[in-house]
Amino acid sequence: MKLSTIWSTPAMALTERLNRTAEWAAQVAAARIPKRVRYWVFIQVGSKAMLPNEVVPEVRFMDLLKRAEGGPK
């Protein structure tokens, strides 16, 4: 969602606007991080959220992101 869309929608509550603006800012910042750093962050998030008895090819990364702190709900 674009920042102009977030702030021009009349029916949206202020707290929702602020939450969406924070998410937008995080997305913009993440897009500017160098590719090599993003790669290793991706690997670390997945490995920390993985259970000890799980096999790498059998685990969906979206499941790992849900387990990780701050991941999508």
Side-chain angles (χ1 to χ4, degrees), residues 12-34:
M12 195 179 302
L14 179 60
T15 55
E16 182 65 22
R17 288 176 202 243
L18 293 174
N19 288 337
R20 289 185 185 211
T21 301
E23 288 298 319
W24 173 83
Q27 289 176 4
V28 169
R32 294 185 180 177
I33 295 173

Side-chain angles (χ1 to χ4, degrees), residues 4-15:
S4 59
T5 306
I6 294 170
W7 287 95
S8 65
T9 307
M12 195 179 302
L14 179 60
T15 55

Side-chain angles (χ1 to χ4, degrees), residues 36-47:
R36 183 172 283 182
V37 175
R38 284 185 283 164
Y39 172 80
W40 285 108
V41 169
F42 184 77
I43 297 297
Q44 283 187 340
V45 167
S47 65

